[in-house]
PDB file of all heavy atoms in Angstrom:
ATOM      1  N   PHE A1061      12.754  -1.299  10.446  1.00 98.00           N
ATOM      2  CA  PHE A1061      12.595  -1.249   8.986  1.00 98.00           C
ATOM      3  C   PHE A1061      13.671  -2.201   8.390  1.00 98.00           C
ATOM      4  O   PHE A1061      13.276  -3.159   7.527  1.00 98.00           O
ATOM      5  CB  PHE A1061      12.828   0.216   8.341  1.00 98.00           C
ATOM      6  CG  PHE A1061      12.658   0.406   6.981  1.00 98.00           C
ATOM      7  CD1 PHE A1061      11.733  -0.455   6.316  1.00 98.00           C
ATOM      8  CD2 PHE A1061      13.231   1.389   6.302  1.00 98.00           C
ATOM      9  CE1 PHE A1061      11.524  -0.209   4.927  1.00 98.00           C
ATOM     10  CE2 PHE A1061      13.068   1.614   4.891  1.00 98.00           C
ATOM     11  CZ  PHE A1061      12.205   0.771   4.275  1.00 98.00           C
ATOM     12  N   ILE A1062      14.883  -2.156   8.779  1.00 98.00           N
ATOM     13  CA  ILE A1062      15.919  -3.076   8.305  1.00 98.00           C
ATOM     14  C   ILE A1062      15.564  -4.475   8.666  1.00 98.00           C
ATOM     15  O   ILE A1062      15.580  -5.399   7.790  1.00 98.00           O
ATOM     16  CB  ILE A1062      17.265  -2.626   8.923  1.00 98.00           C
ATOM     17  CG1 ILE A1062      17.776  -1.291   8.519  1.00 98.00           C
ATOM     18  CG2 ILE A1062      18.254  -3.823   8.598  1.00 98.00           C
ATOM     19  CD1 ILE A1062      18.977  -0.812   9.271  1.00 98.00           C
ATOM     20  N   GLN A1063      15.107  -4.774   9.810  1.00 98.00           N
ATOM     21  CA  GLN A1063      14.826  -6.202  10.211  1.00 98.00           C
ATOM     22  C   GLN A1063      13.670  -6.734   9.387  1.00 98.00           C
ATOM     23  O   GLN A1063      13.598  -7.896   9.025  1.00 98.00           O
ATOM     24  CB  GLN A1063      14.448  -6.212  11.657  1.00 98.00           C
ATOM     25  CG  GLN A1063      15.598  -5.966  12.700  1.00 98.00           C
ATOM     26  CD  GLN A1063      16.718  -6.937  12.399  1.00 98.00           C
ATOM     27  OE1 GLN A1063      16.584  -8.074  12.357  1.00 98.00           O
ATOM     28  NE2 GLN A1063      17.988  -6.319  12.202  1.00 98.00           N
ATOM     29  N   GLN A1064      12.626  -5.918   9.084  1.00 99.00           N
ATOM     30  CA  GLN A1064      11.512  -6.348   8.315  1.00 99.00           C
ATOM     31  C   GLN A1064      11.865  -6.444   6.792  1.00 99.00           C
ATOM     32  O   GLN A1064      11.381  -7.309   6.121  1.00 99.00           O
ATOM     33  CB  GLN A1064      10.291  -5.472   8.566  1.00 99.00           C
ATOM     34  CG  GLN A1064       9.746  -5.505  10.006  1.00 99.00           C
ATOM     35  CD  GLN A1064       8.513  -4.730  10.170  1.00 99.00           C
ATOM     36  OE1 GLN A1064       7.337  -5.247  10.039  1.00 99.00           O
ATOM     37  NE2 GLN A1064       8.709  -3.552  10.583  1.00 99.00           N
ATOM     38  N   ILE A1065      12.747  -5.636   6.301  1.00 98.00           N
ATOM     39  CA  ILE A1065      13.252  -5.803   4.970  1.00 98.00           C
ATOM     40  C   ILE A1065      13.910  -7.131   4.852  1.00 98.00           C
ATOM     41  O   ILE A1065      13.686  -7.971   3.920  1.00 98.00           O
ATOM     42  CB  ILE A1065      14.254  -4.691   4.504  1.00 98.00           C
ATOM     43  CG1 ILE A1065      13.427  -3.355   4.391  1.00 98.00           C
ATOM     44  CG2 ILE A1065      14.988  -5.115   3.274  1.00 98.00           C
ATOM     45  CD1 ILE A1065      14.502  -2.187   4.097  1.00 98.00           C
ATOM     46  N   LYS A1066      14.808  -7.502   5.754  1.00 98.00           N
ATOM     47  CA  LYS A1066      15.486  -8.772   5.864  1.00 98.00           C
ATOM     48  C   LYS A1066      14.595  -9.970   5.991  1.00 98.00           C
ATOM     49  O   LYS A1066      14.805 -10.979   5.336  1.00 98.00           O
ATOM     50  CB  LYS A1066      16.555  -8.760   6.977  1.00 98.00           C
ATOM     51  CG  LYS A1066      17.768  -7.890   6.798  1.00 98.00           C
ATOM     52  CD  LYS A1066      18.659  -7.879   7.898  1.00 98.00           C
ATOM     53  CE  LYS A1066      19.984  -7.032   7.739  1.00 98.00           C
ATOM     54  NZ  LYS A1066      20.856  -7.010   8.830  1.00 98.00           N
ATOM     55  N   LEU A1067      13.503  -9.791   6.749  1.00 98.00           N
ATOM     56  CA  LEU A1067      12.463 -10.812   6.808  1.00 98.00           C
ATOM     57  C   LEU A1067      11.773 -11.131   5.414  1.00 98.00           C
ATOM     58  O   LEU A1067      11.629 -12.232   5.038  1.00 98.00           O
ATOM     59  CB  LEU A1067      11.392 -10.477   7.864  1.00 98.00           C
ATOM     60  CG  LEU A1067      10.224 -11.474   8.041  1.00 98.00           C
ATOM     61  CD1 LEU A1067      10.706 -12.726   8.580  1.00 98.00           C
ATOM     62  CD2 LEU A1067       9.208 -10.793   8.878  1.00 98.00           C
ATOM     63  N   ALA A1068      11.502  -9.920   4.767  1.00 98.00           N
ATOM     64  CA  ALA A1068      10.888 -10.098   3.447  1.00 98.00           C
ATOM     65  C   ALA A1068      11.775 -10.866   2.478  1.00 98.00           C
ATOM     66  O   ALA A1068      11.447 -11.738   1.801  1.00 98.00           O
ATOM     67  CB  ALA A1068      10.515  -8.819   2.866  1.00 98.00           C
ATOM     68  N   ASN A1069      13.130 -10.468   2.440  1.00 98.00           N
ATOM     69  CA  ASN A1069      14.129 -11.207   1.718  1.00 98.00           C
ATOM     70  C   ASN A1069      14.167 -12.708   2.091  1.00 98.00           C
ATOM     71  O   ASN A1069      14.166 -13.577   1.185  1.00 98.00           O
ATOM     72  CB  ASN A1069      15.432 -10.610   1.880  1.00 98.00           C
ATOM     73  CG  ASN A1069      15.567  -9.182   1.394  1.00 98.00           C
ATOM     74  OD1 ASN A1069      16.513  -8.472   1.802  1.00 98.00           O
ATOM     75  ND2 ASN A1069      14.650  -8.704   0.610  1.00 98.00           N
ATOM     76  N   GLU A1070      14.142 -12.959   3.441  1.00 98.00           N
ATOM     77  CA  GLU A1070      14.262 -14.379   3.955  1.00 98.00           C
ATOM     78  C   GLU A1070      13.014 -15.199   3.406  1.00 98.00           C
ATOM     79  O   GLU A1070      13.098 -16.379   3.003  1.00 98.00           O
ATOM     80  CB  GLU A1070      14.305 -14.424   5.369  1.00 98.00           C
ATOM     81  CG  GLU A1070      14.231 -15.786   6.062  1.00 98.00           C
ATOM     82  CD  GLU A1070      13.912 -15.588   7.506  1.00 98.00           C
ATOM     83  OE1 GLU A1070      14.320 -14.602   8.131  1.00 98.00           O
ATOM     84  OE2 GLU A1070      13.323 -16.574   8.120  1.00 98.00           O
ATOM     85  N   CYS A1071      11.894 -14.517   3.392  1.00 98.00           N
ATOM     86  CA  CYS A1071      10.564 -15.274   3.129  1.00 98.00           C
ATOM     87  C   CYS A1071      10.343 -15.175   1.538  1.00 98.00           C
ATOM     88  O   CYS A1071       9.290 -15.676   1.207  1.00 98.00           O
ATOM     89  CB  CYS A1071       9.493 -14.645   3.909  1.00 98.00           C
ATOM     90  SG  CYS A1071       9.657 -14.804   5.758  1.00 98.00           S
ATOM     91  N   ASP A1072      11.154 -14.463   0.844  1.00 98.00           N
ATOM     92  CA  ASP A1072      10.873 -14.330  -0.594  1.00 98.00           C
ATOM     93  C   ASP A1072       9.595 -13.667  -0.892  1.00 98.00           C
ATOM     94  O   ASP A1072       8.799 -14.121  -1.762  1.00 98.00           O
ATOM     95  CB  ASP A1072      11.052 -15.632  -1.336  1.00 98.00           C
ATOM     96  CG  ASP A1072      11.220 -15.468  -2.862  1.00 98.00           C
ATOM     97  OD1 ASP A1072      11.634 -14.371  -3.237  1.00 98.00           O
ATOM     98  OD2 ASP A1072      10.866 -16.511  -3.558  1.00 98.00           O
ATOM     99  N   LEU A1073       9.302 -12.604  -0.180  1.00 98.00           N
ATOM    100  CA  LEU A1073       8.012 -11.893  -0.300  1.00 98.00           C
ATOM    101  C   LEU A1073       8.340 -10.358  -0.714  1.00 98.00           C
ATOM    102  O   LEU A1073       9.335  -9.820  -0.330  1.00 98.00           O
ATOM    103  CB  LEU A1073       7.222 -11.904   1.024  1.00 98.00           C
ATOM    104  CG  LEU A1073       6.570 -13.250   1.406  1.00 98.00           C
ATOM    105  CD1 LEU A1073       6.059 -13.092   2.806  1.00 98.00           C
ATOM    106  CD2 LEU A1073       5.497 -13.562   0.410  1.00 98.00           C
ATOM    107  N   PRO A1074       7.347  -9.881  -1.432  1.00 98.00           N
ATOM    108  CA  PRO A1074       7.529  -8.447  -1.713  1.00 98.00           C
ATOM    109  C   PRO A1074       7.323  -7.519  -0.572  1.00 98.00           C
ATOM    110  O   PRO A1074       6.905  -8.052   0.572  1.00 98.00           O
ATOM    111  CB  PRO A1074       6.468  -8.177  -2.760  1.00 98.00           C
ATOM    112  CG  PRO A1074       5.568  -9.308  -2.788  1.00 98.00           C
ATOM    113  CD  PRO A1074       6.258 -10.456  -2.129  1.00 98.00           C
ATOM    114  N   ILE A1075       7.722  -6.345  -0.606  1.00 99.00           N
ATOM    115  CA  ILE A1075       7.704  -5.322   0.446  1.00 99.00           C
ATOM    116  C   ILE A1075       6.721  -4.185   0.099  1.00 99.00           C
ATOM    117  O   ILE A1075       6.956  -3.476  -0.905  1.00 99.00           O
ATOM    118  CB  ILE A1075       9.087  -4.769   0.798  1.00 99.00           C
ATOM    119  CG1 ILE A1075      10.067  -5.898   0.853  1.00 99.00           C
ATOM    120  CG2 ILE A1075       9.096  -4.026   2.068  1.00 99.00           C
ATOM    121  CD1 ILE A1075      11.592  -5.494   1.014  1.00 99.00           C
ATOM    122  N   VAL A1076       5.836  -3.836   0.939  1.00 99.00           N
ATOM    123  CA  VAL A1076       4.984  -2.676   0.825  1.00 99.00           C
ATOM    124  C   VAL A1076       5.545  -1.531   1.813  1.00 99.00           C
ATOM    125  O   VAL A1076       5.661  -1.789   3.000  1.00 99.00           O
ATOM    126  CB  VAL A1076       3.478  -2.965   1.195  1.00 99.00           C
ATOM    127  CG1 VAL A1076       2.658  -1.655   1.085  1.00 99.00           C
ATOM    128  CG2 VAL A1076       2.979  -3.968   0.284  1.00 99.00           C
ATOM    129  N   ILE A1077       5.941  -0.443   1.168  1.00 98.00           N
ATOM    130  CA  ILE A1077       6.682   0.629   1.905  1.00 98.00           C
ATOM    131  C   ILE A1077       5.834   1.890   2.266  1.00 98.00           C
ATOM    132  O   ILE A1077       5.138   2.364   1.324  1.00 98.00           O
ATOM    133  CB  ILE A1077       7.897   1.125   1.087  1.00 98.00           C
ATOM    134  CG1 ILE A1077       8.817  -0.014   0.763  1.00 98.00           C
ATOM    135  CG2 ILE A1077       8.610   2.156   1.852  1.00 98.00           C
ATOM    136  CD1 ILE A1077       9.658  -0.656   1.774  1.00 98.00           C
ATOM    137  N   HIS A1078       5.969   2.246   3.512  1.00 98.00           N
ATOM    138  CA  HIS A1078       5.375   3.510   3.879  1.00 98.00           C
ATOM    139  C   HIS A1078       6.502   4.509   4.058  1.00 98.00           C
ATOM    140  O   HIS A1078       7.414   4.241   4.854  1.00 98.00           O
ATOM    141  CB  HIS A1078       4.571   3.392   5.310  1.00 98.00           C
ATOM    142  CG  HIS A1078       4.130   4.674   5.868  1.00 98.00           C
ATOM    143  ND1 HIS A1078       2.787   5.158   5.770  1.00 98.00           N
ATOM    144  CD2 HIS A1078       4.793   5.616   6.574  1.00 98.00           C
ATOM    145  CE1 HIS A1078       2.722   6.249   6.512  1.00 98.00           C
ATOM    146  NE2 HIS A1078       3.968   6.590   6.913  1.00 98.00           N
ATOM    147  N   SER A1079       6.513   5.738   3.463  1.00 98.00           N
ATOM    148  CA  SER A1079       7.527   6.699   3.556  1.00 98.00           C
ATOM    149  C   SER A1079       6.909   8.094   3.633  1.00 98.00           C
ATOM    150  O   SER A1079       6.182   8.454   2.756  1.00 98.00           O
ATOM    151  CB  SER A1079       8.505   6.547   2.470  1.00 98.00           C
ATOM    152  OG  SER A1079       9.545   7.591   2.566  1.00 98.00           O
ATOM    153  N   ARG A1080       7.041   8.812   4.790  1.00 98.00           N
ATOM    154  CA  ARG A1080       6.542  10.125   4.901  1.00 98.00           C
ATOM    155  C   ARG A1080       7.673  10.971   5.506  1.00 98.00           C
ATOM    156  O   ARG A1080       8.136  10.841   6.668  1.00 98.00           O
ATOM    157  CB  ARG A1080       5.287  10.202   5.700  1.00 98.00           C
ATOM    158  CG  ARG A1080       4.665  11.579   5.578  1.00 98.00           C
ATOM    159  CD  ARG A1080       3.247  11.589   6.224  1.00 98.00           C
ATOM    160  NE  ARG A1080       2.623  12.916   5.983  1.00 98.00           N
ATOM    161  CZ  ARG A1080       1.450  13.272   6.450  1.00 98.00           C
ATOM    162  NH1 ARG A1080       0.791  12.406   7.177  1.00 98.00           N
ATOM    163  NH2 ARG A1080       0.937  14.438   6.243  1.00 98.00           N
ATOM    164  N   ASP A1081       8.089  12.057   4.740  1.00 98.00           N
ATOM    165  CA  ASP A1081       9.048  13.063   5.135  1.00 98.00           C
ATOM    166  C   ASP A1081      10.397  12.325   5.512  1.00 98.00           C
ATOM    167  O   ASP A1081      11.067  12.729   6.373  1.00 98.00           O
ATOM    168  CB  ASP A1081       8.585  13.909   6.351  1.00 98.00           C
ATOM    169  CG  ASP A1081       7.644  14.974   5.896  1.00 98.00           C
ATOM    170  OD1 ASP A1081       7.173  14.961   4.756  1.00 98.00           O
ATOM    171  OD2 ASP A1081       7.258  15.806   6.757  1.00 98.00           O
ATOM    172  N   ALA A1082      10.629  11.233   4.779  1.00 98.00           N
ATOM    173  CA  ALA A1082      11.838  10.465   5.099  1.00 98.00           C
ATOM    174  C   ALA A1082      12.381  10.000   3.732  1.00 98.00           C
ATOM    175  O   ALA A1082      12.795   8.710   3.612  1.00 98.00           O
ATOM    176  CB  ALA A1082      11.610   9.231   6.080  1.00 98.00           C
ATOM    177  N   VAL A1083      12.281  10.830   2.667  1.00 98.00           N
ATOM    178  CA  VAL A1083      12.606  10.384   1.359  1.00 98.00           C
ATOM    179  C   VAL A1083      13.875   9.702   1.172  1.00 98.00           C
ATOM    180  O   VAL A1083      13.973   8.517   0.650  1.00 98.00           O
ATOM    181  CB  VAL A1083      12.370  11.597   0.426  1.00 98.00           C
ATOM    182  CG1 VAL A1083      12.712  11.206  -1.046  1.00 98.00           C
ATOM    183  CG2 VAL A1083      11.070  12.151   0.398  1.00 98.00           C
TER     184      VAL A1083
END
Side-chain angles (χ1 to χ4, degrees):
F1061 186 26
I1062 292 167
Q1063 292 302 311
Q1064 292 183 92
I1065 290 172
K1066 290 180 176 179
L1067 177 64
N1069 295 164
E1070 174 194 334
C1071 299
D1072 194 25
L1073 287 172
I1075 310 170
V1076 178
I1077 303 289
H1078 172 103
S1079 179
R1080 188 167 187 188
D1081 283 10
V1083 174

